[in-house]
Amino acid sequence: MGAILTSIPAEAQITRIEYEGPRIALYTKNPKYLHQNNYIISEIVNSVKKRVVTRTEKSIRKPEQDAKSILDKLIPVEAGVSNYFFDEAIGEVTIEANNPHLLSAESGFDIGELMGQIGWKVKVRKAPHIASSAIQTMYYALRTGTDERERFYKELGESIFRPRYTVAEQITVKMLGAGQEVGRSCLLVETSESKVLLDAGISPGAKNSWDAYPRLDWADVQLNEIDAVVLSHAHLDHMGFIPALFKFGYDGPVYCTEPTLPLMTLLQNDFIKIAQIEGGRVLYDQKDIRDLIQHTIPLQYGTVTDVSPDIKLVLNNAGHILGSATVHLHIGEGVHNIVYTGDYKYGKTQLFDSASWNYPRVETLITECTYGAKEDIMPPREEVEMNFVNAINGTLAQGGKVLIPIPAVGRAQEIILVLDHYMRNKVLTEAPVFLEGMISEATAIHVSYADYLSRELRSKILDQGVNPFVSEYFTSIEHPSNRDEAIKEGPAVIMATSGMLEGGPVLQYFEHIAPSEKNKILFVSYQVQGTLGRRVLDGSKQASLLGDNGKIKIVDVRASTQKVDGFSGHSDYNQIIRFIGKMRPKLQQVIVNHGDKRKIENLAYVIQRIYRVPALRPAVQEAIRLY
Ligand SMILES: [Zn+2]
């Protein structure tokens, strides 16, 4: 690292060089100079082939209050700043602004000058349109963990850049979950040098703990031997077990995309809240979630990051939910490349661009198989949207209400865009739309991390300052006492969580809406066997709900029920096959996971037949030697 120092001009006033997790941090007393001469950093990156960031020396950082007043003075009012977050561990202030584009170099704004004046690094992000408690929780955890994080980043860097023990590579994948099943996604990638865990989810519906959690016990691995946990996206079946890892002694990094962190915070806190209300046992509490936040290293799509002496990681768009990523592991200087898809959508949706497929090299592809059966083919999007519109129009015309049970993250935002679009164009009968549950909160995170949405939405939100999720049709119900407006006579659309009628505010609406045959319960997401949603969809005429007093209430179901297929954030059968066909050069093998046993068998068979590539379908507690 001494060589780096000598190559930098003295004006840069570099005081020290330190590891900051997977990055090398250059501390400076002249951030303005380095910002204006950013070729210096690019040259260093090219020569050391590692990620490099500049940090400001603590002695030049203005106290928060003073820095705030300077920011208030220098930032134009039109930028609409709503919040500053000072992260002491890395000396960076995040500015949340309604019009972030006004603070860019293209708009003539001088960030370097700002940094020079306050002595902090500056990052600008779109402000959420309503306050997001998940983002606040995240800030709070980061702030209270300042000292711990500084220590952690340093030690992590030393561990990542430690000398290698061996030269010869061996690579094995162990299935700890989601082998010939859906739920508790978890794989352990072991090389002769390192151990990396890909996802650590739970199976919310499982009857016993052998089936509910990843089989780390079988993998015979100590938690402190794991170099990294890489998380593909913020769904419980992929990340529900991660706080438990911290509870049981894991002390290492979790890599995921930037929006995955607040989304995960939101869903995990909600998960333990619901479990507490229902008297269930949860494996972890808020403290473990805080621990997780403090150990998370958010990455942007496409950034190459060292995670151990022989593994580099790149996350790329998976098109599934906000911040969802495919995981590309580059092992041993070109020895072997693994791409783990997580959940992915190889096709465009209202919210996201299609999953990335252009990997420089991939020898082993690990693909999900939610829709791996021949009949799992979805109609084109326009047709799906028209089916949805028709399903609602009929009920509204009769003066009825449509209840849409919906998962808060992803599907809800997709449906909001569809409802708004078709009502605006008068294809869908105009009616008030009520939203309840975590939908608004999740939507706020979508707005704040608009960089991760589709190209069109990104430019609408970030460049034109238009919020496509807010419209005069929508009313957000923030408190149970405001439900009367949604329930009173007259046509309306109500979207509420949870998506399978398993708990959440949707049940209060269900109680009012189900008994009248004028109304409709409209499902737009998969209904798992054994859930109330599935029973209602299958034609059950009565539903038993748990009342406030703990007694069972029987609700008659006379409302019509319907399911509109095709809004899924997963690739359908054809999309999976096409995605695999895109991989270049020719794959050495495919591992099929995350699907019903029968679908996995079918997909593996088809891949071998079409592409002449071995396709493996390991069960949980099986290991595969890749190299
Ligand atoms: Zn998912």
Side-chain angles (χ1 to χ4, degrees):
M1 293 212 273
I4 299 179
L5 265 180
T6 53
S7 69
I8 306 175
E11 294 100 302
Q13 297 186 49
I14 300 296
T15 50
R16 59 195 165 111
I17 301 181
E18 251 162 40
Y19 288 126
E20 184 188 286
R23 296 174 277 251
I24 291 172
L26 299 184
Y27 282 80
T28 175
K29 284 188 170 175
N30 191 354
K32 186 176 166 183
Y33 177 84
L34 276 174
H35 186 81
Q36 286 166 344
N37 298 278
N38 51 17
Y39 71 91
I40 297 174
I41 299 297
S42 310
E43 279 174 8
I44 298 172
V45 171
N46 283 335
S47 79
V48 300
K49 301 270 179 281
K50 290 184 173 60
R51 293 183 60 196
V52 176
V53 284
T54 55
R55 295 296 179 208
T56 59
E57 195 51 72
K58 277 187 180 169
S59 61
I60 70 157
R61 294 180 201 164
K62 291 258 160 34
E64 256 187 67
Q65 274 316 323
D66 302 356
K68 268 185 195 162
S69 341
I70 298 174
L71 288 169
D72 285 340
K73 225 180 321 166
L74 293 184
I75 297 176
V77 192
E78 303 78 60
V81 170
S82 63
N83 188 31
Y84 301 120
F85 168 64
F86 288 83
D87 187 345
E88 267 183 74
I90 54 174
E92 186 175 83
V93 55
T94 301
I95 301 174
E96 292 183 0
N98 285 321
N99 298 309
H101 64 280
L102 293 181
L103 301 181
S104 66
E106 296 85 63
S107 305
F109 189 79
D110 190 354
I111 289 268
E113 175 62 28
L114 210 59
M115 295 199 284
Q117 295 245 1
I118 60 174
W120 292 71
K121 266 295 272 281
V122 170
K123 192 163 112 184
V124 181
R125 227 193 38 234
K126 170 83 184 166
H129 59 290
I130 54 164
S132 155
S133 68
I135 292 177
Q136 293 309 319
T137 305
M138 176 180 92
Y139 285 160
Y140 179 76
L142 292 175
R143 196 180 256 284
T144 49
T146 297
D147 297 343
E148 158 69 15
R149 284 168 59 220
E150 280 182 47
R151 183 196 60 77
F152 166 63
Y153 291 148
K154 229 168 158 170
E155 286 177 12
L156 175 60
E158 277 154 20
S159 161
I160 292 172
F161 298 110
R162 68 187 184 258
R164 292 189 56 162
Y165 285 115
T166 51
V167 186
E169 274 298 356
Q170 283 195 1
I171 306 166
T172 307
V173 167
K174 288 180 174 170
M175 299 294 291
L176 311 191
Q180 302 185 5
E181 64 178 11
V182 178
R184 59 159 168 178
S185 283
C186 191
L187 298 126
L188 180 66
V189 176
E190 283 185 333
T191 72
S192 23
E193 204 67 51
S194 31
K195 294 177 170 53
V196 172
L197 207 60
L198 305 183
D199 285 345
I202 52 171
S203 275
K207 296 279 176 294
N208 63 66
S209 51
W210 290 124
D211 298 325
Y213 308 122
R215 294 301 303 272
L216 282 148
D217 58 313
W218 167 79
D220 193 27
V221 60
Q222 300 296 314
L223 291 178
N224 60 17
E225 295 169 357
I226 296 176
D227 290 276
V229 174
V230 183
L231 169 60
S232 65
H233 67 284
H235 271 154
L236 283 172
D237 60 333
H238 292 257
M239 58 67 179
F241 197 74
I242 300 182
L245 294 175
F246 285 92
K247 176 167 180 173
F248 297 134
Y250 180 63
D251 196 20
V254 173
Y255 298 95
C256 60
T257 62
E258 297 168 302
T260 300
L261 178 55
L263 279 183
M264 167 166 81
T265 306
L266 176 70
L267 293 171
Q268 282 166 348
N269 276 312
D270 181 66
F271 178 64
I272 55 179
K273 202 168 80 192
I274 288 179
Q276 279 157 1
I277 292 169
E278 291 174 353
R281 203 176 64 93
V282 204
L283 279 174
Y284 49 82
D285 58 31
Q286 256 111 9
K287 186 196 158 292
D288 305 306
I289 299 176
R290 210 155 51 228
D291 243 5
L292 161 56
I293 296 171
Q294 291 166 357
H295 286 80
T296 296
I297 300 190
L299 304 176
Q300 293 176 345
Y301 288 143
T303 313
V304 183
T305 303
D306 290 278
V307 297
S308 77
D310 64 341
I311 302 183
K312 290 184 198 303
L313 161 72
V314 187
L315 301 176
N316 281 297
N317 173 36
H320 171 65
I321 61 165
L322 184 71
S324 63
T326 61
V327 178
H328 181 178
L329 299 180
H330 176 88
I331 301 172
E333 303 297 335
V335 165
H336 199 85
N337 290 266
I338 300 173
V339 169
Y340 165 63
T341 64
D343 294 348
Y344 68 111
K345 177 75 175 175
Y346 186 53
K348 227 193 120 17
T349 59
Q350 294 267 357
L351 283 175
F352 306 113
D353 295 333
S354 182
S356 311
W357 53 270
N358 202 357
Y359 303 99
R361 261 181 62 188
V362 41
E363 281 81 29
T364 298
L365 177 75
I366 306 174
T367 179
E368 65 130 325
C369 180
T370 310
Y371 293 111
K374 287 206 165 54
E375 64 275 16
D376 290 337
I377 293 172
M378 288 165 205
R381 273 284 154 148
E382 306 78 65
E383 196 180 320
V384 174
E385 291 174 7
M386 280 322 294
N387 291 342
F388 174 74
V389 165
N390 292 334
I392 297 176
N393 268 342
T395 305
L396 292 180
Q398 296 172 42
K401 291 185 191 301
V402 180
L403 176 64
I404 308 176
I406 200 149
V409 175
R411 201 63 47 87
Q413 288 73 32
E414 181 90 8
I415 296 293
I416 286 174
L417 295 178
V418 173
L419 285 170
D420 184 58
H421 175 76
Y422 287 96
M423 278 193 191
R424 217 168 269 287
N425 293 318
K426 315 281 189 235
V427 180
L428 177 59
T429 311
E430 287 178 287
V433 180
F434 298 94
L435 314 169
E436 190 175 341
M438 294 183 310
I439 299 172
S440 311
E441 166 87 38
T443 304
I445 298 173
H446 281 69
V447 172
S448 193
Y449 292 86
D451 286 346
Y452 288 78
L453 298 171
S454 71
R455 200 179 305 249
E456 299 82 35
L457 288 178
R458 210 154 57 209
S459 104
K460 247 189 202 162
I461 296 173
L462 296 177
D463 305 333
Q464 302 161 33
V466 175
N467 187 338
F469 300 105
V470 174
S471 106
E472 69 272 23
Y473 301 118
F474 299 106
T475 306
S476 173
I477 309 268
E478 303 297 345
H479 193 267
S481 60
N482 301 338
R483 283 181 190 143
D484 295 349
E485 203 195 333
I487 294 165
K488 73 168 194 236
E489 257 316 289
V493 178
I494 300 168
M495 292 166 64
T497 56
S498 67
M500 300 188 209
L501 296 177
E502 293 285 282
V506 72
L507 291 180
Q508 268 72 48
Y509 293 103
F510 178 79
E511 207 185 314
H512 283 94
I513 284 172
S516 164
E517 52 202 17
K518 265 202 320 205
N519 298 334
K520 177 177 271 182
I521 321 275
L522 181 58
F523 296 95
V524 290
S525 60
Y526 187 71
Q527 301 299 306
V528 173
Q529 203 65 254
T531 60
L532 178 59
R534 181 60 175 260
R535 286 197 296 279
V536 168
L537 186 61
D538 287 347
S540 178
K541 290 292 160 215
Q542 281 190 328
S544 40
L545 303 180
L546 202 59
D548 293 337
N549 51 7
K551 282 196 187 133
I552 301 285
K553 255 191 291 195
I554 304 291
V555 175
D556 290 322
V557 185
R558 294 193 203 91
S560 61
T561 60
Q562 189 176 343
K563 179 160 180 281
V564 174
D565 285 314
F567 279 119
S568 176
H570 292 273
S571 301
D572 75 359
Y573 175 77
N574 285 334
Q575 289 166 335
I576 298 175
I577 302 283
R578 256 184 263 139
F579 179 81
I580 295 171
K582 282 282 195 182
M583 300 294 117
R584 297 285 182 280
K586 192 177 152 93
L587 294 165
Q588 282 175 14
Q589 66 217 318
V590 177
I591 296 173
V592 185
N593 78 339
H594 193 290
D596 292 341
K597 194 165 181 228
R598 187 181 57 84
K599 298 192 182 200
I600 286 183
E601 274 166 13
N602 174 62
L603 187 65
Y605 170 77
V606 173
I607 292 168
Q608 307 212 56
R609 213 196 52 211
I610 300 182
Y611 298 118
R612 311 253 163 240
V613 172
L616 311 169
R617 40 187 173 83
V620 177
Q621 294 175 276
E622 281 182 16
I624 298 169
R625 172 92 178 263
L626 299 184
Y627 188 87

